[in-house]
């Protein structure tokens, strides 16, 4: 069973890769870049994934384009809805690629994160699969959250401090005003 795994970063890939291989899947990764800002941060995450994937003998398709402008255009005036749009863009792109590459299914490391909207990702994954004509493999990888996190620390892997887009970077670092 060939599965295309959308991989948001190296640390989030550790546990899903382990689980899927245990289940007998032949896993190939897909690194999507448009939502990771700025470009230097994107390159840092990609480098960490390249190093990890090589050590695990996992093949990965690395997106060549970097459409920051296109990403921002989709979000303007819809900032509050941005994660829904971002999930769909990432999962639908993965689904189409999986279909074209004749994979049996596709999935995402987003299902590993405790910081993401898990139910929404599951819904959007299923919808993207339906639209592209390929099954979405749903699994709650959050059960391995500690395992994955501890291994990434052990391996001294680069661990990012915000989700990806410039909006999330602001939310992480801009001092929040407290009510007087
Ligand atoms: S916070 Fe994360 S999921 Fe939401 S739009 Fe930004 S990169 Fe995408």
């Amino acid at each position: 069973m060939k599965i295309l795994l959308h991989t948001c970063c190296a640390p989030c890939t550790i546990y899903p890769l382990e689980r899927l291989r245990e289940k007998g899947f032949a896993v190939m990764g897909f690194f999507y870049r448009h939502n990771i800002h700025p470009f230097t941060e994107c390159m840092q995450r990609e480098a960490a994934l390249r190093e990890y994937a090589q050590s695990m003998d996992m093949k990965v398709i690395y997106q060549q384009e970097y459409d920051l402008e296109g990403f921002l255009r989709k979000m303007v005036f819809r900032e509050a809805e941005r994660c829904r749009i971002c999930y769909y863009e990432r999962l639908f792109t993965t689904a189409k690629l999986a279909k074209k590459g004749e994979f049996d299914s596709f999935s995402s490391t987003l299902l590993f994160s405790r910081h993401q909207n898990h139910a929404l990702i599951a819904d959007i994954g299923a919808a993207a699969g339906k639209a592209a004509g390929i099954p979405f493999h749903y699994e709650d990888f959050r059960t391995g959250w500690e395992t994955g996190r501890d291994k990434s620390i052990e391996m001294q892997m680069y661990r990012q401090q915000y989700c990806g887009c410039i909006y999330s970077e602001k939310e992480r670092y801009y001092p929040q005003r407290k009510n007087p």
Side-chain angles (χ1 to χ4, degrees):
M1 291 283 277
K2 285 196 323 173
I3 188 166
L4 186 64
L5 180 67
H6 159 251
T7 53
C8 59
C9 62
C12 290
T13 306
I14 297 172
Y15 185 74
L17 177 64
E18 195 178 293
R19 283 285 300 155
L20 292 169
R21 280 184 171 171
E22 269 168 19
K23 289 186 167 181
F25 283 100
V27 184
M28 185 181 278
F30 169 52
F31 184 66
Y32 180 100
R33 313 201 304 183
H34 307 326
N35 66 308
I36 308 170
H37 315 149
F39 186 60
T40 47
E41 171 71 19
C42 183
M43 287 294 90
Q44 205 163 357
R45 294 187 194 188
E46 185 175 314
L49 179 63
R50 281 184 187 273
E51 196 180 331
Y52 173 67
Q54 199 175 12
S55 74
M56 296 303 292
D57 201 18
M58 177 177 72
K59 287 198 171 51
V60 178
I61 300 166
Y62 294 93
Q63 200 169 43
Q64 296 302 303
E65 310 78 31
Y66 183 66
D67 191 14
L68 167 70
E69 297 82 357
F71 176 90
L72 295 177
R73 271 196 297 272
K74 285 183 186 108
M75 304 306 168
V76 172
F77 299 117
R78 298 185 203 99
E79 287 84 358
E81 283 297 304
R82 71 175 191 268
C83 297
R84 178 187 299 277
I85 301 165
C86 181
Y87 293 152
Y88 189 77
E89 290 293 326
R90 288 192 270 176
L91 292 170
F92 190 50
T93 305
T94 311
K96 283 190 290 187
L97 200 57
K99 178 75 179 172
K100 197 173 164 199
E102 298 182 352
F103 285 81
D104 298 295
S105 59
F106 74 103
S107 191
S108 174
T109 56
L110 289 169
L111 294 168
F112 168 76
S113 177
R114 282 185 181 172
H115 302 298
Q116 303 288 341
N117 186 334
H118 191 88
L120 187 59
I121 293 162
D123 284 353
I124 291 178
K130 206 171 171 188
I134 182 160
F136 175 62
H137 175 85
Y138 169 77
E139 192 167 335
D140 191 351
F141 295 124
R142 292 174 302 179
T143 52
W145 173 258
E146 280 88 6
T147 310
R149 183 204 52 200
D150 294 350
K151 282 189 181 170
S152 70
I153 294 168
E154 237 169 71
M155 286 186 240
Q156 297 185 319
M157 201 174 252
Y158 173 66
R159 292 165 49 80
Q160 66 269 13
Q161 299 301 306
Y162 58 94
C163 185
C165 64
I166 50 168
Y167 305 106
S168 61
E169 194 262 2
K170 179 183 172 183
E171 280 171 4
R172 171 70 177 78
Y173 294 111
Y174 185 70
Q176 299 293 314
R177 286 210 187 129
K178 295 203 168 56
N179 287 331

